[in-house]
Amino acid sequence: MSTSSEPDVLVAGAGIAGLTAALSLATAGRPARVLDPVRRFTPLGVGINLQPHAVRELTELGLAGELAGIGMPIEECVHVDRHGNRIWSEPRGTAAGYRWPQYAVHRGQLQMLLLAAVTARLGADAVRPGIAVVDFTDGAAENVERVENIERVEGVGRVEGVERADRTRGDRSALRVTVQDRASGERRELTPAALLGADGLHSTVRERLHPGEGEPLGNDILMFRGTARAEPFLTGRSMLVAGCNTRSKFVAYPVSPVTDGLVTVNWVGEVRLPATERGMVADWTAAGSLDDVLPHFADWRYDFLDVPALIRGADRILAYPMVDRDPLPWWGRGRVTLLGDAAHPMYPIGSNGGSQAILDGRAVAYHLATAPSATEALARYEADRRDEAVAVQRANRAMGPERVLRLVAERAPDGFARVEDVLSAAELAAIGAAYQQTTSMDVPALNARRSWSV
């Protein structure tokens, strides 16, 4: 094994969280290097929503124009029953009073946009495909643990304890990261100032920090996903949620600007599996079948959207189980921490996973650029982000909006003329309240919050 010195921040994973962190570090004048085990970057995946709090961060990174070129601003979220009868709606993005829009984009195009921005600012060598982080040791983490034992006795806070740890041991070479070239199998040892584990749901960094956790946790719902070209529906900037996942649920929204009268529509068909079909491995590139998804939505035709036609229009269908992991009591130790799905994988109920990853990347870069040491920076980052992200994670697992939507399916299985005959005012209000928890929406707070730009 060869050894080389890397006097910068090492990021494991070139997804949304890792690239946002690298770009933010570059903007703050601190170099970073991103490693990813995939051998070639391609725009994989389907659509995601970027909430206004994430769009703000990308705007401050200078990407507002690029976002507008690849995405569609979402201005309303609309719930209907499986027959197309409107249950509830609310404004989103600038229509809700935010200074920044909510964008729906293709995940792969967003990743390519971030990748181009990182390499433009840090150089082509800043992101290295085909190299995986496989292990690490951090002597500083052992010192932090000793100081935290003192905290419990003396009653000092975590960040203060980390400051004491830094004063006790400041040897930055204590962090040693083993990486492996996937083509040759060669291993090298790097000595960065910090390691950011942004390596996704099956994170190696998380497994080393929290061994024995096991596989992701499912809820027996399988998500079929695809994109198709179609005419704009409803306002043209609407996110549609039809049905409920007691049995079948369908989500659709545009993820591109209009060209030649058409948009690219991202769709998700959620199906609750029988016991005999459970246990699918969580691989977001796994192929799905038209024959498996279409029967669940064969008669879902509305005057504003033909769901079966949209499903048939997909060039490729993916299948992915709805999974998450239990919230962690802590994310990192010493000079190592977690970001994005490696830290807080969540159900997509609030369309917030990618947005939370962007917030992580921005926050960790801010603290690495402003704190006096890496250990203190990562402790401040976790104090800044963990409670908020875990609250969103728990809210998505609770599926708050679904509980009310199930009532509609139970009380009016054949449809309704007036939703007020099915749900009380309090029950309708509960849908919006649940979304506020899953999306972490707070218009005045976001509009007034300090910037993480350095």
Side-chain angles (χ1 to χ4, degrees), residues 82 248 293-301 306-309 311-312:
R82 69 176 305 278
S248 301
V293 61
L294 188 59
H296 297 281
F297 305 98
D299 60 347
W300 291 37
R301 293 183 177 87
D306 187 329
V307 171
I311 294 173
R312 291 192 188 95

Side-chain angles (χ1 to χ4, degrees), residues 63 160 175 213 244 258 298 326 350 359 409 420 433:
L63 299 178
E160 181 183 344
L175 174 59
E213 190 176 20
C244 70
V258 178
D326 287 332
L359 297 185
E420 294 83 2

Side-chain angles (χ1 to χ4, degrees), residues 283-304:
D283 176 2
W284 59 274
T285 64
S289 166
L290 178 65
D291 292 337
D292 287 337
V293 61
L294 188 59
H296 297 281
F297 305 98
D299 60 347
W300 291 37
R301 293 183 177 87
Y302 314 137
D303 57 4
F304 55 86

Side-chain angles (χ1 to χ4, degrees), residues 3 115 317 384 433:
T3 303
L115 178 63
I317 296 175
D384 215 1

Side-chain angles (χ1 to χ4, degrees), residues 21 39 71 83 129 349:
R39 297 182 182 180
H83 306 286
I349 303 301

Side-chain angles (χ1 to χ4, degrees), residues 207-393:
E207 194 279 330
R208 297 297 185 271
L209 288 168
H210 302 272
E213 190 176 20
E215 292 300 311
L217 305 174
N219 63 359
D220 305 330
I221 294 174
L222 183 61
M223 299 183 293
F224 295 94
R225 304 176 299 163
T227 60
R229 296 290 288 173
E231 294 182 356
F233 59 89
L234 295 176
T235 67
R237 297 186 171 190
S238 301
M239 178 177 182
L240 174 71
V241 182
C244 70
N245 58 29
T246 302
R247 293 185 61 184
S248 301
K249 173 182 169 182
F250 194 82
V251 180
Y253 49 86
V255 293
S256 74
V258 178
T259 55
D260 299 325
L262 301 177
V263 294
T264 299
V265 177
N266 180 79
W267 60 262
V268 184
E270 298 179 12
V271 177
R272 189 166 292 275
L273 296 175
T276 55
E277 299 180 22
R278 296 170 188 170
M280 181 178 179
V281 175
D283 176 2
W284 59 274
T285 64
S289 166
L290 178 65
D291 292 337
D292 287 337
V293 61
L294 188 59
H296 297 281
F297 305 98
D299 60 347
W300 291 37
R301 293 183 177 87
Y302 314 137
D303 57 4
F304 55 86
L305 183 66
D306 187 329
V307 171
L310 194 65
I311 294 173
R312 291 192 188 95
D315 292 332
R316 182 186 183 195
I317 296 175
L318 302 175
Y320 188 84
M322 189 179 291
V323 296
D324 67 359
R325 291 187 184 275
D326 287 332
L328 293 170
W330 50 270
W331 286 351
R333 285 287 189 268
R335 298 178 175 94
V336 182
T337 196
L338 302 172
L339 287 72
D341 280 350
H344 45 73
M346 60 186 65
Y347 294 165
I349 303 301
S351 304
N352 207 357
S355 297
Q356 292 297 312
I358 289 170
L359 297 185
D360 290 347
R362 289 285 283 160
V364 76
Y366 172 83
H367 291 297
L368 282 167
T370 57
S373 69
T375 49
E376 185 176 341
L378 298 191
R380 291 181 181 182
Y381 155 70
E382 185 167 326
D384 215 1
R385 288 288 303 138
R386 193 183 71 85
D387 286 351
E388 178 182 328
V390 167
V392 174
Q393 190 180 13

Side-chain angles (χ1 to χ4, degrees), residues 1-314:
M1 180 192 298
S2 61
T3 303
S4 65
S5 178
E6 293 285 347
D8 51 12
V9 178
L10 189 65
V11 182
I16 293 172
L19 292 173
T20 300
L23 183 58
S24 299
L25 286 163
T27 302
R30 182 156 191 175
R33 178 156 293 156
V34 184
L35 307 181
D36 197 290
V38 302
R39 297 182 182 180
R40 186 168 64 93
F41 296 118
T42 55
L44 299 176
V46 285
I48 64 170
N49 270 268
L50 297 178
Q51 301 294 336
H53 43 253
V55 175
R56 171 184 175 171
E57 302 309 325
L58 297 180
T59 298
E60 293 186 358
L61 287 171
L63 299 178
E66 289 87 341
L67 272 179
I70 66 170
M72 173 67 78
I74 298 298
E75 296 184 351
E76 70 168 356
C77 179
V78 178
H79 274 280
V80 301
D81 69 359
R82 69 176 305 278
H83 306 286
N85 301 303
R86 184 174 292 225
I87 300 170
W88 172 90
S89 64
E90 74 170 2
R92 290 295 178 93
T94 53
Y98 287 103
R99 291 169 54 193
W100 302 270
Q102 173 178 327
Y103 271 115
V105 300
H106 189 285
R107 183 205 171 276
Q109 291 185 358
L110 175 63
Q111 183 185 18
M112 295 301 103
L113 187 159
L114 291 169
L115 178 63
V118 170
T119 55
R121 299 188 195 185
L122 287 175
D125 198 41
V127 183
R128 297 184 178 180
I131 302 178
V133 170
V134 296
D135 204 357
F136 62 86
T137 59
D138 183 12
E142 299 173 3
N143 197 41
V144 170
E145 290 179 6
R146 286 199 298 273
V147 171
E148 286 179 339
N149 289 333
I150 298 173
E151 293 172 30
R152 286 189 283 272
V153 175
E154 298 182 1
V156 302
R158 172 163 169 73
V159 173
E160 181 183 344
V162 170
E163 292 171 350
R164 291 174 57 175
D166 278 343
R167 291 195 296 269
T168 305
R169 178 184 296 176
D171 181 12
R172 66 189 295 273
S173 68
L175 174 59
R176 299 183 181 277
V177 182
T178 303
V179 303
Q180 183 174 35
D181 187 304
R182 290 194 62 201
S184 68
E186 178 189 5
R187 291 194 171 197
R188 299 172 58 209
E189 189 175 86
L190 308 178
T191 57
L195 171 63
L196 307 182
D199 46 345
L201 178 69
H202 302 287
S203 167
T204 297
V205 179
R206 177 171 174 142
E207 194 279 330
R208 297 297 185 271
L209 288 168
H210 302 272
E213 190 176 20
E215 292 300 311
L217 305 174
N219 63 359
D220 305 330
I221 294 174
L222 183 61
M223 299 183 293
F224 295 94
R225 304 176 299 163
T227 60
R229 296 290 288 173
E231 294 182 356
F233 59 89
L234 295 176
T235 67
R237 297 186 171 190
S238 301
M239 178 177 182
L240 174 71
V241 182
C244 70
N245 58 29
T246 302
R247 293 185 61 184
S248 301
K249 173 182 169 182
F250 194 82
V251 180
Y253 49 86
V255 293
S256 74
V258 178
T259 55
D260 299 325
L262 301 177
V263 294
T264 299
V265 177
N266 180 79
W267 60 262
V268 184
E270 298 179 12
V271 177
R272 189 166 292 275
L273 296 175
T276 55
E277 299 180 22
R278 296 170 188 170
M280 181 178 179
V281 175
D283 176 2
W284 59 274
T285 64
S289 166
L290 178 65
D291 292 337
D292 287 337
V293 61
L294 188 59
H296 297 281
F297 305 98
D299 60 347
W300 291 37
R301 293 183 177 87
Y302 314 137
D303 57 4
F304 55 86
L305 183 66
D306 187 329
V307 171
L310 194 65
I311 294 173
R312 291 192 188 95

